[in-house]
Amino acid sequence: MSPWRDASDSRRRRRGALLAVPLLAAALLATLVAGPAGGRAEAAPTTFVHPGVLVSRGQLDFTREQVNAGAQPWKGAYDQMMASRYASLSRVPKPRSVVECGSYSNPNNGCTDEREDAIAAYTLSLAWYVTRDSRYAQKAIEIMDAWSAVITDHTNSNAPLQTGWAGSSWPRAAEIIRYTYTGWPQARIDRFKTMLRTVYLPEVAGGSHSNGNWELSMTEAAIGIAVFLEDRAAYDKAVTKFRGRVPAYIYLASDGALPKAAPGSGLDTRDEIVRYWQGQTTFVDGLSQETCRDLTHTGYGLSAISHIAETSRIQGQDLYPEVADRLRHALGLHAKYELGTAVPGWLCGGALKDHLGPVTEVGFNALGNRMGYAMTNTQNLTQARRPAGTDNLFVAWETLTHAGNSR
């Protein structure tokens, strides 16, 4: 039997029953939107779509078609990926029972190994899909099996963030291999699920009141894990975190004189909010809570927002419309200064540190290409930096998977 699984690409997605009861449609729709107690409706699909974490089968097919046709920028992005250490068939995974990660990677006991093995598993799963060469799928499985057999915990101060980063990459790889390749034994799949449920999900599901990129990366891991586990409760919890954190991470003028505070943050005075926003006192559309910290951490947050929304879209409960204005303004504002516009004195004291990283492809494709927003600065930055590679943390190969991908 070929290891290629020609499973149907059509999966049932959640559909409301409103049209079946025309006389009650308006009332039911209001309940669906507001929820029974005035809260937001649940978001999890009744049936999960697979593969469905960051990339769908349709998107993978598009990627494969473009690479095989030698079309750009996809072929160049694919060549970049295949030349990286993450695509190596001789890679030896380095699992450990306890991954200990302190602030600024001190100590670094397995932190880099875990993140990079997770990225490698995802890279190899993409290589498998494009080439249909089972060696890549088997190597991805080898890496996932190695970690699921060993890891029990993450410790030290950066444990939540480390878990979020690695936990974002693992489900992407597992989704592709589990649902497009028949050579991963069920017992090993179950063991990998147990790893995600017992080691990763408890660490990320509760969120964080640290800088916003922490909670956003943790939430990305939680929603991806929920998809692979088909855990509707975990999915809904992650979406609730997302809906509370995004308005507290990206400012819009409609928020009022001050940015919003994340639920449970305890920030309820002007001084506390300004301090949390790195001392910035002038707020404009698209400003991030971490803009004045540095653009690299800001990029982590914007990337996680895009990834979560992309997964939700694949799952049939599209969160992009809820965050579109914030995300497009944030991408555009930061792209403008990355492209060389002088930083005004009122913004972070007239100086911005570091760079965004390879984080704009997913958001630009969704907002600029699919939804039709004019995003000149973001488009120019995205195209100038193609092919987008990896940040070696949780972002990888997004020109390959998302450039111009309307599926």
Side-chain angles (χ1 to χ4, degrees):
M1 177 184 295
S2 167
W4 173 254
R5 171 178 291 137
D6 189 19
S8 171
D9 189 35
S10 62
R11 298 273 181 174
R12 289 194 305 115
R13 297 184 178 183
R14 188 181 185 189
R15 294 289 187 267
L18 304 182
L19 295 179
V21 193
L23 294 177
L24 297 178
L28 289 173
L29 181 59
T31 299
L32 179 64
V33 172
R40 306 302 286 270
E42 291 185 351
T46 53
T47 300
F48 285 93
V49 177
H50 304 292
V53 175
L54 185 60
V55 287
S56 67
R57 186 183 297 271
Q59 290 173 306
L60 290 166
D61 286 341
F62 174 85
T63 297
R64 183 172 187 267
E65 291 161 8
Q66 299 308 310
V67 172
N68 287 342
Q72 298 297 352
W74 304 275
K75 181 59 166 61
Y78 173 77
D79 291 343
Q80 175 198 45
M81 181 185 80
M82 296 304 289
S84 76
R85 64 183 182 274
Y86 298 111
S88 173
L89 289 170
S90 61
R91 185 180 189 87
V92 177
K94 298 178 180 179
R96 63 171 65 207
S97 174
V98 177
V99 175
E100 183 184 11
C101 305
S103 299
Y104 301 100
S105 298
N106 183 24
N108 181 346
N109 294 323
C111 315
T112 300
D113 292 338
E114 180 190 28
R115 293 193 305 266
E116 295 197 353
D117 274 350
I119 291 174
Y122 176 55
T123 301
L124 291 157
S125 73
L126 292 174
W128 144 250
Y129 201 95
V130 172
T131 66
R132 304 294 208 271
D133 184 337
S134 62
R135 295 178 301 164
Y136 293 108
Q138 286 295 325
K139 179 57 73 169
I141 290 169
E142 176 188 332
I143 294 170
M144 291 189 286
D145 284 353
W147 279 90
S148 69
V150 172
I151 190 167
T152 62
D153 200 9
H154 298 86
T155 64
N156 216 314
S157 57
N158 264 27
L161 183 59
Q162 170 73 17
T163 310
W165 282 341
S168 294
S169 296
W170 287 130
R172 298 177 203 160
E175 280 282 300
I176 295 172
I177 298 300
R178 169 69 179 84
Y179 291 99
T180 72
Y181 181 76
T182 60
W184 196 6
Q186 186 62 49
R188 299 296 175 84
I189 295 171
D190 291 342
R191 190 175 75 188
F192 192 81
K193 286 182 176 181
T194 298
M195 177 190 80
L196 293 180
R197 183 175 295 284
T198 62
V199 179
Y200 288 83
L201 189 57
E203 188 73 48
V204 298
S208 167
H209 294 310
S210 183
N211 285 298
N213 82 88
W214 277 51
E215 185 160 88
L216 289 164
S217 292
M218 293 163 67
T219 301
E220 179 185 348
I223 203 167
I225 290 168
V227 171
F228 190 65
L229 297 179
E230 298 194 324
D231 186 329
R232 300 186 74 247
Y235 189 99
D236 284 335
K237 184 174 182 179
V239 170
T240 297
K241 287 289 182 186
F242 178 78
R243 284 171 163 160
R245 174 56 76 168
V246 174
Y249 194 70
I250 301 171
Y251 175 82
L252 287 180
S254 57
D255 295 338
L258 292 171
K260 294 178 179 291
S265 67
L267 302 178
D268 53 13
T269 70
R270 182 183 186 279
D271 286 348
E272 289 172 339
I273 291 173
V274 167
R275 185 162 52 250
Y276 186 58
W277 281 65
Q278 322 298 325
Q280 179 70 10
T281 57
T282 300
F283 303 99
V284 297
D285 285 343
L287 187 75
S288 160
Q289 180 257 318
E290 296 186 271
T291 301
C292 296
R293 181 187 183 189
D294 61 68
L295 296 186
T296 299
H297 286 89
T298 299
Y300 298 161
L302 300 184
S303 182
I305 292 169
S306 301
H307 294 169
I308 293 164
E310 190 72 7
T311 294
S312 77
R313 184 191 68 85
I314 294 167
Q315 294 304 322
Q317 297 291 328
D318 194 349
L319 293 171
Y320 275 120
E322 296 183 24
V323 301
D325 279 348
R326 293 183 192 275
L327 184 57
R328 70 185 180 92
H329 280 298
L331 289 171
L333 177 74
H334 297 89
K336 177 173 69 172
Y337 297 114
E338 285 277 74
L339 290 167
T341 297
V343 181
W346 57 262
L347 178 60
C348 309
L352 295 173
K353 292 185 284 189
D354 301 335
H355 298 284
L356 285 177
V359 303
T360 61
E361 285 280 14
V362 175
F364 171 65
N365 184 54
L367 302 176
N369 293 335
R370 288 199 199 101
M371 298 178 73
Y373 286 107
M375 300 177 68
T376 303
N377 289 327
T378 306
Q379 180 175 353
N380 289 343
L381 181 66
T382 301
Q383 293 176 344
R385 293 189 173 175
R386 283 177 176 166
T390 176
D391 65 359
N392 303 309
L393 300 173
F394 73 111
V395 178
W397 323 124
E398 293 178 357
T399 297
L400 175 65
T401 56
H402 286 83
N405 196 332
S406 61
R407 297 186 188 177

